[in-house]
Amino acid sequence: VTTLREDQTVVLTEFSDVWDAFRRRDLRQGGYDEATVILADCLMVLHGDEHKKRRRLENRLFRRGTFRWWESDLLPGVIQEALAPCLLAGGTDLLDLGYRTIMNLTALVAGVDRPLGTGEETDALKAFTMKFSEGATLGHNLRDRAVVRTEVAEALEKFDRQFLAPSVARRAALLAQLEAGAITEDDLPRDVLMVLMRNVDDLQLGPDIIRREIAFYLQAGAHSTANAFVHAVDEVFCWRAAHPERAHQLSDDRFLQRCVHEAFRLHPASPIAVRRALADVELSSGRTLPEGALVEMDLHAANRDSKVYGPTSDQFDPERVLPDGIPPWGNTFGGGTHACIGMELDGGVPPRDDEPGEHVLGTVTLMVAALLAHGAHPDPDSPPESDPYSSRAHFGRYRVRFA
Ligand code: HEM
């Protein structure tokens, strides 16, 4: 048996090892030990039965029927609200547009009301979310951690006063009306906050935990989707430039969804997932993960494993033929018990000929489709720039113009 010190790390880069490790019970979440200010007792860091109980309840909301309703009733308005000022201006930055769209959608899903429905509220939510995200990635922060922790705790307080407390009060009033028989279950908002408030006793949730869980949802949904959106648009622009004679295919939603899934595979928003081994674990490949080891799963490398995606695994190919049972986005949404709860909301459901009614396009495909429908193209005077503050190969600036 190999023994490792507490601080030693095993890195997994093969698709099959990463896939396998995500599904092992003796590997617990390990990437957020420093991030308790924002993540303590949140779904992402719970393990075993505690995780199962919370996840089962929150899953009630993340059902295909709800996704279809989000997609048909909520999303078109959210996309139009964000896009309208950009169209008027004749151009925009894709990250700004991505955040404006997804911030409002994630707030609706999390249960954070914007009482006035203004852009200022969206900006305020984005600023809070940025700070929460600093808290979630504290382990990698080069600033004084105690200072960052204090800033995050203060942001949580302010967020609570400005957004969360009024959202809780509105839902509490609705629950009172439900109890009095004045409204029915169908009149309650379909969001995470509502689910948590209805199950406070079952889950033993104090107000602090609810506050962190909602803040965590905002940051889990917003950053990954905004970055995924920009990568998807970039890949689509490059593909269109290389295949001008096939550009019409992009108005086929199914083809566009394949493009988005291929971009998800090549550019996982969180390129690494981390676990701690609670016992010796032997993977199917024969590789041993010794008790106490930190296990770093390199999703970026695993998603480009040529043993699974073939010799062109590094390239963007929306017509790639996938082996049976392999998701088009690889490990980008994680796997096993902690697999991303927003996976189908963002990625939709890959079309299946035997279940035509089940097809859901997903938020990112609809965001890209709306952009292309307005003739978006890269701004020739302002080439894209990568984000100098991120080690994650994301864009920091991406200007587009509308035809
Ligand atoms: C392209 C967009 C997204 C990507 C690439 C992504 C990726 C991921 C990954 C890799 C994980 C698992 C992390 C791990 O196992 O350590 C995860 C978990 C999670 N994601 Fe996402 N995510 C996206 C969008 C969203 C959205 C829109 C929401 C919510 C509205 C969301 C909510 C969550 C939650 C709650 C978890 C924790 C699940 C659990 O621990 O049981 N994500 N996501």
Side-chain angles (χ1 to χ4, degrees):
V1 177
T2 332
T3 49
L4 291 183
R5 289 197 330 269
E6 271 282 296
D7 62 345
Q8 276 189 298
T9 303
V10 181
V11 179
L12 303 179
T13 54
E14 307 239 339
F15 185 96
S16 55
D17 277 346
V18 168
W19 181 270
D20 192 1
F22 265 131
R23 287 157 180 82
R24 295 303 180 117
R25 281 164 181 265
D26 284 334
L27 297 181
R28 74 156 172 84
Q29 187 59 261
Y32 302 104
D33 294 353
E34 291 276 350
T36 48
V37 60
I38 194 82
L39 288 182
D41 310 305
C42 285
L43 181 68
M44 182 85 113
V45 298
L46 297 181
H47 188 69
D49 283 346
E50 263 190 314
H51 176 266
K52 197 195 258 173
K53 219 169 152 194
R54 176 97 57 91
R55 174 83 189 214
R56 199 178 281 156
L57 278 175
E58 294 185 6
N59 270 346
R60 286 188 194 166
L61 183 67
F62 289 84
R63 283 196 191 129
R64 222 164 270 177
T66 321
F67 294 140
R68 264 198 230 101
W69 172 73
W70 276 333
E71 205 161 288
S72 60
D73 287 39
L74 284 188
L75 196 55
V78 170
I79 290 179
Q80 275 322 309
E81 182 189 340
L83 203 51
C86 309
L87 294 173
L88 271 180
T92 190
D93 180 84
L94 287 182
L95 275 157
D96 274 352
L97 174 62
Y99 271 112
R100 267 174 195 276
T101 316
I102 199 60
M103 211 53 256
N104 290 346
L105 180 71
T106 314
L108 280 166
V109 172
V112 179
D113 299 336
R114 287 185 306 139
L116 307 174
T118 59
E120 285 73 29
E121 285 171 332
T122 311
D123 290 342
L125 278 177
K126 182 183 165 192
F128 284 129
T129 303
M130 291 296 189
K131 194 45 80 182
F132 300 155
S133 184
E134 251 193 274
T137 51
L138 246 174
H140 313 284
N141 205 311
L142 298 179
R143 296 175 55 212
D144 181 334
R145 291 186 187 169
V147 173
V148 179
R149 244 177 239 123
T150 308
E151 288 173 5
V152 176
E154 281 169 7
L156 273 170
E157 291 284 343
K158 279 195 194 155
F159 163 71
D160 198 341
R161 276 197 301 277
Q162 190 177 348
F163 288 104
L164 189 58
S167 305
V168 168
R170 184 170 80 85
R171 282 161 187 72
L174 287 171
L175 284 179
Q177 288 183 40
L178 179 72
E179 219 152 275
I183 59 169
T184 69
E185 301 248 339
D186 289 346
D187 299 315
L188 296 177
R190 291 190 234 177
D191 55 48
V192 178
L193 180 58
M194 195 74 257
V195 172
L196 296 181
M197 285 177 65
R198 296 194 75 186
N199 294 283
V200 168
D201 297 336
D202 261 6
L203 294 174
Q204 295 173 325
L205 295 173
D208 282 3
I209 300 185
I210 293 191
R211 180 160 83 175
R212 285 195 297 272
E213 185 84 329
I214 297 299
F216 153 65
Y217 259 90
L218 289 184
Q219 63 99 22
H223 297 300
S224 42
T225 313
N227 285 309
F229 165 66
V230 184
H231 279 298
V233 176
D234 178 59
E235 289 290 5
V236 163
F237 282 164
C238 293
W239 182 87
R240 189 171 65 179
H243 305 89
E245 73 294 350
R246 293 172 59 193
H248 63 277
Q249 280 183 264
L250 294 169
S251 48
D252 170 357
D253 285 343
R254 286 189 174 213
F255 183 77
L256 191 62
Q257 188 184 34
R258 270 300 287 129
C259 293
V260 168
H261 290 172
E262 185 71 346
F264 283 166
R265 179 182 71 82
L266 288 171
H267 311 284
S270 321
I272 284 175
V274 180
R275 296 291 188 267
R276 177 76 71 182
L278 299 173
D280 284 351
V281 172
E282 190 178 325
L283 297 178
S284 313
S285 62
R287 190 144 185 208
T288 302
L289 311 173
E291 181 178 349
L294 207 59
V295 181
E296 202 176 281
M297 294 180 268
D298 184 338
L299 311 188
H300 187 269
N303 282 0
R304 292 167 184 241
D305 189 336
S306 56
K307 288 191 286 310
V308 176
Y309 292 101
T312 61
S313 57
D314 266 339
Q315 291 164 26
F316 176 81
D317 174 7
E319 277 155 342
R320 178 181 304 287
V321 178
L322 298 162
D324 273 353
I326 298 292
W329 47 67
N331 295 291
T332 286
F333 291 102
T337 54
H338 285 285
C340 178
I341 210 166
M343 178 173 80
E344 291 192 0
L345 169 66
D346 266 9
V349 183
R352 286 176 47 168
D353 289 338
D354 53 333
E355 281 184 326
E358 290 295 304
H359 191 205
V360 179
L361 285 170
T363 305
V364 178
T365 298
L366 290 171
M367 287 165 71
V368 179
L371 198 75
L372 295 180
H374 289 97
H377 55 88
D379 185 335
D381 300 329
S382 182
E385 289 167 19
S386 54
D387 181 352
Y389 300 107
S390 167
S391 55
R392 300 186 159 183
H394 292 321
F395 289 104
R397 187 182 149 84
Y398 204 122
R399 298 281 320 169
V400 296
R401 283 203 201 147
F402 296 101

